[in-house]
Amino acid sequence: MFQNALRTPVSLSLYRSNVSSCLRSQTFRRFLSQESRTKIQAAVTEYPVVLFMKGNPEQPMCGFSRGVVKILSAFDIPPEKFKTYNVLEDLELRTGIKEFSEWPTIPQLYVNGEFVGGSDIALSMFQSGELETLLEQHGVIPKASESPS
């Protein structure tokens, strides 16, 4: 009887709603110290493009991180405008970044201090051309019309 109730779309949607509101509640946020929040805020604004990932660009430790690195490599972002953080090296960062962005998965991409999304959103934006436009708007890469021929 309970299995059937749990499988109904209404139950699933209520569950998602409850989880989502719980993740955004002040109770959940208390786990990230103000010091950690300040450090993460400084990290996401230090460079125009910041990627929190598992591993590093040369050796990603998960397929989703590898995917976002490949997407970003297509734009030839100058090194002085791009920074990655390996969340596997720092447990506090790994858990803290999820709370900071209110996004449950890694990798997480930030452009100009603003959270863009995870691998699925980065892929979708890449395919639609939105990611290139975003990078151009923030001066990370030159506009296509300004590119040398």
Side-chain angles (χ1 to χ4, degrees), residues 69-79 81-82 135 140-142:
V69 167
K70 280 186 164 190
I71 288 168
L72 293 175
S73 69
F75 296 111
D76 291 324
I77 300 170
K81 294 184 177 187
F82 179 54
L135 295 173
V140 176
I141 60 173

Side-chain angles (χ1 to χ4, degrees), residues 29-81:
R29 289 185 187 194
R30 75 169 194 254
F31 296 115
L32 185 61
S33 70
Q34 187 58 43
E35 179 184 358
S36 293
R37 188 174 298 282
T38 301
K39 285 181 182 178
I40 292 171
Q41 181 63 45
V44 301
T45 57
E46 182 180 5
Y47 289 82
V49 178
V50 177
L51 178 63
F52 293 90
M53 62 180 290
K54 294 178 181 175
N56 59 57
E58 294 77 32
Q59 190 173 13
M61 300 300 286
C62 86
F64 297 110
S65 291
R66 178 177 287 110
V68 176
V69 167
K70 280 186 164 190
I71 288 168
L72 293 175
S73 69
F75 296 111
D76 291 324
I77 300 170
E80 66 273 7
K81 294 184 177 187

Side-chain angles (χ1 to χ4, degrees), residues 102-118:
E102 296 181 356
W103 190 260
T105 60
I106 293 168
Q108 293 188 11
L109 178 63
Y110 288 78
V111 174
N112 208 37
E114 295 293 322
F115 178 61
V116 174

Side-chain angles (χ1 to χ4, degrees), residues 77-137:
I77 300 170
E80 66 273 7
K81 294 184 177 187
F82 179 54
K83 173 79 173 172
T84 63
Y85 291 91
N86 182 356
V87 300
L88 298 178
E89 294 177 345
D90 185 340
L91 180 61
E92 186 177 7
L93 177 61
R94 185 176 182 175
T95 56
I97 192 63
K98 294 175 184 180
E99 183 180 332
F100 180 83
S101 63
E102 296 181 356
W103 190 260
T105 60
I106 293 168
Q108 293 188 11
L109 178 63
Y110 288 78
V111 174
N112 208 37
E114 295 293 322
F115 178 61
V116 174
S119 63
D120 54 344
I121 293 172
L123 177 60
S124 176
M125 290 179 71
F126 175 70
Q127 291 171 335
S128 71
E130 290 175 86
L131 186 56
E132 182 176 22
T133 301
L134 181 67
L135 295 173
E136 289 173 348
Q137 287 173 343

